[in-house]
């Protein structure tokens, strides 16, 4: 063995198929990437419009943000084929800035958030992804599916009855067309066909144009007109930090999801600073910033089959062309067509295996609880970041509780010496009860605590051992601690006598 990492043939093939050069050499792959970019661009439009309204800014601010985010992240990002744009989570974070201080402070916030994201990537924040357990990831995916579906309800409730057969027709096209041909993405066909039907028959249906006015000019370079003072920094910094954290969390979680779907790795550190660069570019063009667009990424990767940066780049380019040059036509696309696409995305996104009765019966209760709690909190708050944080904290508590019960103290009686055999992992959850498991009054004058089958992980354990020793010495008895491994001995010697009893 030469020490090189073991990479399977499938992984090498997947990696090669994901390069821009390989796509340019393959007419089939290039066609898939181009059409995926087009259908994703169409799906970006209503989302960007609604998130602009949510943030309290002009619709073109959200549309231009999706354009600059997609184009920039296609170059700087660490996950091929992932789509970034004006996202609802970041729009929620920055909305108070617009309401209280105006658009110029929003732009300054976006720029500062980008700087924070770059700094976080340099600090190695991506390493925190290892602390997100599978149950939280599954909850994240299932909550995402529910949020995508629930976002379509305004387009399905209180609307003309013709919307329902149009949505049904769109679903039928998306489900059954791939069984006949995959030359053109089924979602794109559904959008084109339903739009044509609505135009030919003059159907009175809610359209993209009803969501907000589309821009009539290209975005221009700008700089925020705010005072460069500590007061300004104090105003925007909290929002910028929150936006940076939420954006990175959603982007890294989405990258992990795409890794799993495509069986190919991503560079999480590059994705982190790439998101920062994208937000800085977006800020200089007057956009509201953003992060990974999970629904649109699923359309691009899972529904349309994209695998390269070409689709991401073209999604941004097509978006700009559609909303500026073809705005009159795009404005007439029925929302029923886009709702049908997003409903299928939600169905494809849900991890059906995780909610199957057979799986739930086999899964430990704690794992299921973490998954369900992640889903519930995410859906209730409509914030994926909050759901993931609550899920991770719950998983950590459940793990600590489970491991704490593996610790036991067994006395080995002797006439002159009492030996206690300690087994398990000692940390704050398990060592807090350690003090109560010794017979301070009845034990002989010499006590041995054998730590051969355990490990000291934190200062709480050292404090507990100090407390045990102190109690015995108060009664004139001698305590000897033996069997510590090297790491435990080093921690014990360094902290013993220096932590509170």
């Amino acid at each position: 063995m030469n020490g090189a990492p073991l990479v399977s043939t499938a992984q090498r093939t997947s990696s090669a198929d994901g390069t821009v050069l390989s796509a340019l050499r393959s007419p089939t792959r290039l066609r898939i990437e181009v059409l995926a970019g087009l259908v994703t661009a169409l799906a970006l439009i209503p989302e960007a419009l609604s998130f602009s309204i949510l943030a309290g800014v002009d619709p073109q601010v959200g549309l231009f943000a999706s354009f600059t985010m997609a184009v920039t992240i296609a170059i700087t990002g660490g996950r091929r084929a992932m789509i970034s744009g004006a996202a609802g989570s970041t729009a929620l974070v920055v909305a108070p800035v617009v309401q209280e201080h105006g658009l110029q402070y929003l732009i300054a916030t976006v720029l500062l958030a980008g700087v924070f994201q770059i700094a976080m990537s340099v600090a190695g924040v991506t390493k925190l992804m290892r602390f997100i357990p599978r149950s939280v990831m599954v909850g994240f995916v299932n909550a995402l599916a529910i949020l995508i579906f629930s976002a379509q309800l305004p387009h399905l409730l209180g609307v003309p009855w013709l919307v329902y057969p149009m949505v049904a027709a769109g679903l039928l096209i998306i489900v059954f067309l791939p069984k006949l041909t995959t030359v053109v993405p089924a979602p794109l066909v559904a959008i084109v066909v339903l739009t044509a039907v609505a135009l030919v028959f003059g159907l009175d249906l809610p359209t993209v144009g009803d969501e907000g006015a589309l821009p009539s000019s290209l975005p221009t370079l700008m700089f925020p007109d705010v005072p460069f003072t500590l007061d300004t920094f104090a105003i925007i910094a909290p929002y910028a930090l929150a936006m940076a954290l939420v954006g990175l969390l959603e982007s890294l979680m989405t990258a992990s999801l795409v890794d799993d779907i495509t069986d190919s790795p991503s560079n999480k550190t590059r994705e982190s600073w790439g998101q920062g660069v994208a937000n800085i570019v977006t800020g200089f063009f007057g956009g509201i910033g953003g992060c990974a667009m999970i629904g649109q990424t699923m359309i691009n990767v899972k529904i349309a089959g994209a695998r390269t940066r070409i689709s991401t780049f073209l999604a941004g380019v097509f978006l700009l062309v559609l909303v500026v040059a073809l705005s009159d036509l795009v404005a007439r696309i029925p929302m029923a067509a886009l709702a049908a696409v997003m409903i299928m995305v939600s169905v494809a996104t849900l991890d059906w295996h995780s909610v199957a009765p057979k799986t739930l019966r086999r899964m430990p209760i704690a794992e299921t609880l973490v998954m369900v709690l992640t889903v519930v909190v995410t859906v209730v708050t409509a914030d994926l970041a909050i759901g993931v944080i609550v899920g991770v904290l719950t998983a950590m508590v459940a793990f600590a509780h489970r491991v704490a019960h593996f610790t036991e103290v067994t006395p080995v009686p002797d006439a002159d010496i009492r030996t206690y055999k300690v087994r398990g992992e000692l940390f704050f959850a398990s060592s807090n009860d350690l003090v109560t498991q010794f017979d301070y009054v009845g034990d002989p004058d010499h006590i041995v605590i054998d730590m051969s089958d355990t490990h000291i992980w934190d200062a709480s354990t050292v404090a507990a051992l100090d407390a045990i020793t102190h109690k015995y010495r108060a009664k004139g008895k001698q305590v000897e601690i033996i069997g510590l491994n090297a790491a435990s001995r080093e921690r014990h010697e360094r902290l013993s006598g220096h932590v509170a009893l």
Side-chain angles (χ1 to χ4, degrees):
M1 299 295 290
N2 58 9
L6 296 178
V7 181
S8 67
T9 302
Q11 287 175 315
R12 288 194 297 267
T13 302
S14 176
S15 179
D17 290 343
T19 64
V20 172
L21 186 59
S22 65
L24 294 175
R25 291 173 175 171
S26 170
T28 301
R29 171 48 58 187
L30 185 59
R31 170 180 54 78
I32 292 173
E33 299 298 318
V34 171
L35 294 177
L38 179 57
V39 70
T40 303
L42 290 168
L44 277 169
I45 295 172
E47 296 286 300
L49 290 172
S50 62
F51 294 150
S52 296
I53 296 171
L54 179 63
V57 297
D58 190 89
Q60 71 175 10
V61 176
L63 289 167
F64 288 159
S66 290
F67 157 67
T68 53
M69 288 291 297
V71 169
T72 306
I73 206 66
I75 300 169
T76 63
R79 172 65 261 176
R80 296 186 297 268
M82 194 165 81
I83 305 296
S84 289
S89 56
T90 55
L92 283 170
V93 172
V94 299
V97 180
V98 181
Q99 297 168 1
E100 298 175 15
H101 304 284
L103 179 61
Q104 296 300 318
Y105 278 83
L106 166 64
I107 296 171
T109 301
V110 173
L111 291 171
L112 184 58
V115 173
F116 282 157
Q117 287 177 327
I118 294 174
M120 289 177 188
S121 69
V122 174
V125 72
T126 56
K127 295 178 182 178
L128 296 177
M129 285 296 294
R130 72 181 67 178
F131 295 105
I132 299 180
R134 180 187 177 279
S135 54
V136 175
M137 192 68 186
V138 171
F140 169 82
V141 171
N142 291 340
L144 165 63
I146 295 172
L147 288 176
I148 292 174
F149 180 81
S150 62
Q152 310 316 308
L153 293 180
H155 308 304
L156 300 174
L157 301 177
V159 294
W161 70 269
L162 280 173
V163 168
Y164 302 109
M166 290 286 279
V167 171
L171 293 174
L172 290 174
I173 292 173
I174 296 171
V175 171
F176 291 105
L177 182 62
K179 301 180 185 298
L180 302 176
T181 179
T182 56
V183 174
V184 180
L188 180 59
V189 174
I191 293 171
V192 172
V193 169
L194 295 186
T195 301
V197 169
L199 293 178
V200 170
F201 293 98
L203 303 181
D204 185 16
L205 297 169
T207 64
V208 170
D210 296 332
E211 298 296 304
L214 299 178
S216 57
S217 61
L218 296 174
T220 56
L221 194 63
M222 62 179 300
F223 201 79
D225 184 15
V226 297
F228 287 88
T229 63
L230 288 177
D231 289 339
T232 299
F233 181 81
I235 291 172
I236 66 175
Y239 299 104
L241 181 59
M243 178 181 171
L245 290 170
V246 169
L248 281 186
L249 180 59
E250 291 206 20
S251 297
L252 294 176
M253 291 287 285
T254 305
S256 296
L257 180 59
V258 178
D259 291 350
D260 185 57
I261 293 172
T262 61
D263 290 324
S264 61
S266 60
N267 187 329
K268 303 298 192 302
T269 299
R270 177 174 174 178
E271 182 62 36
S272 297
W273 65 257
Q275 289 287 337
V277 173
N279 272 305
I280 291 174
V281 171
T282 298
F284 280 128
F285 280 94
I288 62 173
C291 62
M293 299 283 287
I294 306 175
Q296 283 65 27
T297 296
M298 291 299 100
I299 292 176
N300 194 49
V301 174
K302 199 165 188 178
I303 305 298
R307 292 293 182 272
T308 77
R309 299 176 186 274
I310 294 176
S311 60
T312 306
F313 182 83
L314 289 181
V317 173
F318 283 143
L319 173 64
L320 187 64
V321 172
L322 289 169
V323 300
V324 175
L326 302 175
S327 58
D328 291 341
L329 177 61
V330 171
R332 302 177 71 178
I333 295 175
M335 286 303 300
L338 297 174
V341 172
M342 297 309 292
I343 289 173
M344 285 307 302
V345 170
S346 68
V347 172
T349 301
L350 188 73
D351 187 343
W352 294 98
H353 175 73
S354 69
V355 296
K358 183 178 180 180
T359 303
L360 293 176
R361 284 194 298 268
R362 289 177 176 269
M363 195 66 62
I365 294 177
E367 299 279 330
T368 302
L369 175 63
V370 170
M371 186 266 285
V372 171
L373 191 60
T374 302
V375 172
V376 171
V377 173
T378 300
V379 172
V380 171
T381 63
D383 192 321
L384 289 163
I386 294 177
V388 169
I389 291 171
V390 171
V392 169
L393 292 176
T394 304
M396 288 181 174
V397 171
F399 174 77
H401 181 266
R402 185 167 62 251
V403 173
H405 287 293
F406 292 155
T407 303
E408 62 179 13
V409 179
T410 305
V412 181
D414 194 291
D416 300 318
I417 298 177
R418 174 64 61 87
T419 300
Y420 286 92
K421 187 77 172 178
V422 183
R423 295 181 178 87
E425 302 301 317
L426 293 177
F427 62 111
F428 62 90
S430 58
S431 62
N432 285 337
D433 295 331
L434 197 62
V435 179
T436 65
Q437 299 187 49
F438 294 83
D439 185 2
Y440 301 101
V441 176
D443 282 345
D445 292 339
H446 191 187
I447 297 91
V448 174
I449 302 177
D450 187 351
M451 309 282 286
S452 302
D453 295 331
T454 188
H455 187 98
I456 296 176
W457 288 104
D458 60 5
S460 296
T461 303
V462 177
L465 291 174
D466 283 353
I468 294 168
T469 303
H470 179 75
K471 285 179 175 290
Y472 276 118
R473 287 176 179 171
K475 300 183 182 302
K477 300 178 181 181
Q478 179 184 358
V479 178
E480 181 182 2
I481 299 175
I482 66 172
L484 290 172
N485 59 39
S488 297
R489 184 169 55 253
E490 187 278 332
R491 182 174 285 109
H492 184 263
E493 291 175 351
R494 176 163 47 90
L495 297 177
S496 181
H498 298 285
V499 289
L501 298 178

